[in-house]
Amino acid sequence: MFEAVEELIGEHADLERQLADPDVHADQGRARAMSKRYAELTPVVAVYQEWRGCRDDIATARELAAEDPEFAGEVKELEAHAEELTERLRLLLVPRDPADDKDVILEIKAGAGGDESALFAGDLLRMYLRYAERTGWRTEIIDATESELGGYKDVQVAVKARGRTEPGQGVWARLKFEGGVHRVQRVPATESAGRIHTSAAGVLVTPEAEEVEVEVNPADLRIDVYRSSGPGGQSVNTTDSAVRITHLPTGVVASCQNEKSQLQNKEQALRILRSRLLAAAREEAEREASDARRSQVRTGDRSEKIRTYNFPENRISDHRVGFKAYNLDQVLDGEIDAVIQACVDADSAARLAEDR
């Protein structure tokens, strides 16, 4: 393991020298790629240097302990710290998802439960918007179909970081485990008898694709236009401004009706389509690379029930990693870092076990 670190330290030093050269920054694409790699390696170098310092301190403490037994306790403490640093270093060396620093398109769709499911989809949307606000990310509603009671039958939102993010703190890195079926147990606003109902909403999270990453041949697209529908608005049911795009080779479909112009809706639908095509390609590659790891924490299967929100008990449970907490009110207000971190930790553990 430490032989690999020595190579990374050399790479880190080489990148530092190159980034100090003004000529490198004449090519912005190259400079960005180098800066990203430098940022990825910096934590590895820092922990390794701390580990080496700790090993030197252990050697010194052992020499002192040979003369004075009181230093024996310090040796044990330093050895324990060295073990912690070794584990941290091992985790840092686990191969990372190359898309971790990407922005995402997050989709929420009402499922079983009718109006109550649509209301719950609205609650999930607010949860993610509040989380993004707390984290300092920007959000943009791309398309939405509202329900009569104020929830959402379907909504797509772009979530974007502001500037460069630390390794492991990108939008995709934090939100990629949110995909799946989210189940709610509560007394619906539509229920007069006070009975607890169970309904669900599906969440899909995909890394937002750049045009250069997904080549879409216009000849492979079928574009249909139709009249938008919804609870109201000047352009609703008056013009054929809504757009549905079907990618014929794969059958992937994306639609948008939020904008007033057909051209704007077409651009937004293409944006969603590219991200869905990228996600499909990633999932296929991951299936081929490691079915075992994907079984630990799934990232985008909307058929899988991943989480339950139980209102009577104020409880949230993530069924993939065994996470449970009794602060549902705070979670729905955007405080979801703890449950996200539980999924991240489980995925890191699975990657580490696979690497061994």
Side-chain angles (χ1 to χ4, degrees):
M1 178 178 74
F2 295 108
E3 292 177 1
V5 176
E6 293 288 356
E7 293 179 8
L8 295 177
I9 288 174
E11 182 184 354
H12 184 266
D14 186 50
L15 286 168
E16 190 170 39
R17 285 192 295 271
Q18 292 186 64
L19 288 169
D21 182 354
D23 292 340
V24 169
H25 296 274
D27 184 342
Q28 288 297 312
R30 181 187 174 206
R32 278 196 299 270
M34 292 173 66
S35 296
K36 176 185 174 184
R37 180 60 175 163
Y38 182 80
E40 291 173 351
L41 293 178
T42 296
V44 176
V45 173
V47 173
Y48 181 64
Q49 289 175 341
E50 186 179 354
W51 177 85
R52 289 191 62 177
C54 186
R55 297 301 299 176
D56 292 340
D57 291 342
I58 289 172
T60 302
R62 281 174 177 166
E63 291 178 5
L64 293 171
E67 300 176 3
D68 186 348
E70 290 186 5
F71 284 96
E74 185 174 343
V75 172
K76 290 183 179 179
E77 290 179 7
L78 287 168
E79 287 177 337
H81 185 49
E83 284 296 320
E84 292 175 7
L85 292 171
T86 300
E87 190 61 25
R88 281 170 57 189
L89 194 57
R90 186 176 286 111
L91 286 171
L92 286 170
L93 292 174
V94 172
R96 292 187 177 275
D97 184 338
D100 271 355
D101 62 343
K102 282 186 173 293
D103 298 326
V104 309
I105 291 179
L106 186 147
E107 303 179 52
I108 307 171
K109 185 181 291 290
D115 289 334
E116 166 60 11
S117 177
L119 290 172
F120 178 51
D123 292 337
L124 290 177
L125 174 63
R126 180 180 180 277
M127 178 182 78
Y128 290 124
L129 293 179
R130 292 285 290 126
Y131 178 65
E133 181 183 345
R134 291 173 183 272
T135 310
W137 297 334
R138 293 182 291 115
T139 56
E140 171 197 357
I141 302 293
I142 297 175
D143 194 37
T145 304
E146 297 181 28
S147 70
E148 296 297 330
L149 295 181
Y152 289 90
K153 296 178 180 178
D154 195 2
V155 59
Q156 290 95 33
V157 57
V159 186
K160 295 179 172 291
R162 297 181 186 272
R164 186 179 299 161
T165 58
E166 293 296 319
Q169 297 302 311
V171 183
W172 172 252
R174 301 301 290 173
L175 292 182
K176 60 185 173 183
F177 301 113
E178 293 302 296
V181 173
H182 295 239
R183 183 178 67 170
V184 63
Q185 295 173 323
R186 65 182 175 188
V187 178
T190 55
E191 170 61 53
S192 59
R195 294 173 296 181
I196 296 174
H197 283 224
T198 298
S199 59
V203 175
L204 179 65
V205 187
T206 54
E208 183 157 12
E210 302 290 340
E211 289 190 43
V212 293
E213 292 179 286
V214 179
E215 185 177 344
V216 178
N217 187 342
D220 291 336
L221 303 179
R222 185 179 74 234
I223 301 176
D224 301 307
V225 296
Y226 57 99
R227 292 194 175 183
S228 55
S229 60
Q234 282 187 324
S235 301
V236 173
N237 292 323
T238 59
T239 60
D240 290 334
S241 59
V243 174
R244 181 188 300 108
I245 302 177
T246 304
H247 186 248
L248 298 174
T250 62
V252 174
V253 179
S255 60
C256 186
Q257 64 173 14
N258 244 32
E259 306 296 339
K260 291 184 178 180
S261 82
Q262 188 181 113
L263 180 61
Q264 288 174 311
N265 281 326
K266 179 183 175 183
E267 288 303 313
Q268 295 286 46
L270 277 171
R271 184 177 173 187
I272 296 170
L273 182 71
R274 280 194 295 267
S275 293
R276 289 179 178 173
L277 290 173
L278 177 63
R282 279 175 51 86
E283 287 182 10
E284 179 61 29
E286 286 187 10
R287 271 196 297 272
E288 293 176 359
S290 178
D291 285 336
R293 192 186 68 77
R294 281 180 54 82
S295 70
Q296 299 296 317
V297 180
R298 298 185 186 273
T299 59
D301 183 1
R302 280 196 286 182
S303 67
E304 180 189 19
K305 181 184 69 179
I306 65 166
R307 196 173 293 159
T308 295
Y309 303 73
N310 185 296
F311 275 70
E313 298 179 14
N314 197 35
R315 169 173 53 83
I316 180 167
S317 305
D318 193 289
H319 308 297
R320 299 163 296 179
V321 297
F323 177 89
K324 186 179 293 185
Y326 293 86
N327 63 336
L328 178 57
D329 51 341
Q330 296 172 4
V331 166
L332 289 174
D333 195 40
E335 296 184 21
I336 57 174
D337 254 325
V339 64
I340 286 176
Q341 192 60 47
C343 294
V344 170
D345 291 344
D347 181 66
S348 295
R351 287 176 182 268
L352 184 59
E354 189 177 70
D355 190 54
R356 284 171 175 166

